[in-house]
């Protein structure tokens, strides 16, 4: 099933990999469709994740780009039943293929991908890399 953004809401931050048929007429009602979402993660011994994302998008309406939100606050249930709040830190954020802006708000790192002065092409591929540090166990 493709990952889509409803026409009545802000673009979504997708978290699944999918493959879309470009000729599916039901998908045209959405501002854009994420055709493929590829994520590569490597983890070091200090609980720091290096993440590379590739997001392939088809725009059905004129847009300047997409938004990607990264959760900074997480909750983990421990084996003893207790719950720990984990405050992650996003660093070394890079978007080599597009202009971007970031801000932290409400427990999220929000990334606006695209140029506010021009519309995105019909087909765009966004590449994002960052480190996600959840601290020591």
């Amino acid at each position: 099933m493709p990952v889509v953004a409803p026409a009545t809401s802000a673009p979504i931050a997708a978290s699944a990999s999918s493959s879309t048929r470009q000729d599916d007429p039901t998908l045209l009602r959405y501002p854009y469709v994420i055709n493929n979402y590829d994520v590569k993660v490597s983890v070091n011994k200090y609980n720091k994740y290096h993440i590379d994302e590739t997001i392939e998008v088809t725009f059905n309406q004129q847009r300047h780009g997409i938004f990607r939100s990264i959760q900074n606050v997480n909750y983990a249930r421990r084996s003893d039943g207790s719950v720990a709040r984990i405050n992650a830190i996003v660093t070394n954020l890079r978007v080599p293929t597009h202009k971007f802006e970031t801000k932290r708000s409400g427990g999220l790192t929000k990334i606006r991908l695209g140029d506010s002065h021009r519309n995105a092409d019909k087909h765009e591929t966004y590449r994002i890399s960052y480190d996600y540090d959840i601290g020591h166990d």
Side-chain angles (χ1 to χ4, degrees):
M1 190 71 186
V3 180
V4 296
T8 58
S9 70
I12 61 171
S15 60
S17 180
S18 64
S19 181
T20 303
R21 286 178 39 112
Q22 295 298 320
D23 58 351
D24 185 345
T26 62
L27 297 178
L28 294 177
R29 70 177 183 245
Y30 299 103
Y32 67 85
V33 176
I34 296 175
N35 301 311
N36 192 47
Y37 195 149
D38 183 57
V39 178
K40 292 180 175 49
V41 179
S42 59
V43 184
N44 69 21
K45 65 183 179 180
Y46 303 107
N47 279 343
K48 190 179 222 180
Y49 298 71
H50 178 75
I51 301 170
D52 291 303
E53 301 181 10
T54 302
I55 307 167
E56 296 174 8
V57 178
T58 298
F59 288 92
N60 297 318
Q61 299 173 9
Q62 289 188 340
R63 294 280 192 258
H64 295 281
I66 63 172
F67 294 90
R68 171 71 175 94
S69 295
I70 302 169
Q71 193 77 34
N72 294 326
V73 178
N74 301 283
Y75 296 90
R77 184 171 304 281
R78 296 187 171 128
S79 59
D80 67 0
S82 65
V83 176
R85 177 184 167 126
I86 300 167
N87 295 309
I89 300 170
V90 175
T91 59
N92 300 320
L93 179 65
R94 291 182 175 76
V95 183
T97 57
H98 292 80
K99 290 185 176 183
F100 72 100
E101 294 179 14
T102 62
K103 75 176 183 178
R104 284 183 62 118
S105 174
L108 298 171
T109 296
K110 297 179 180 180
I111 310 165
R112 187 174 81 183
L113 300 160
D115 188 335
S116 62
H117 299 292
R118 77 166 194 86
N119 287 324
D121 292 337
K122 174 81 172 161
H123 302 283
E124 293 278 0
T125 299
Y126 298 95
R127 290 185 175 82
I128 307 167
S129 69
Y130 55 94
D131 293 326
Y132 190 78
D133 188 349
I134 61 171
H136 297 291
D137 284 335

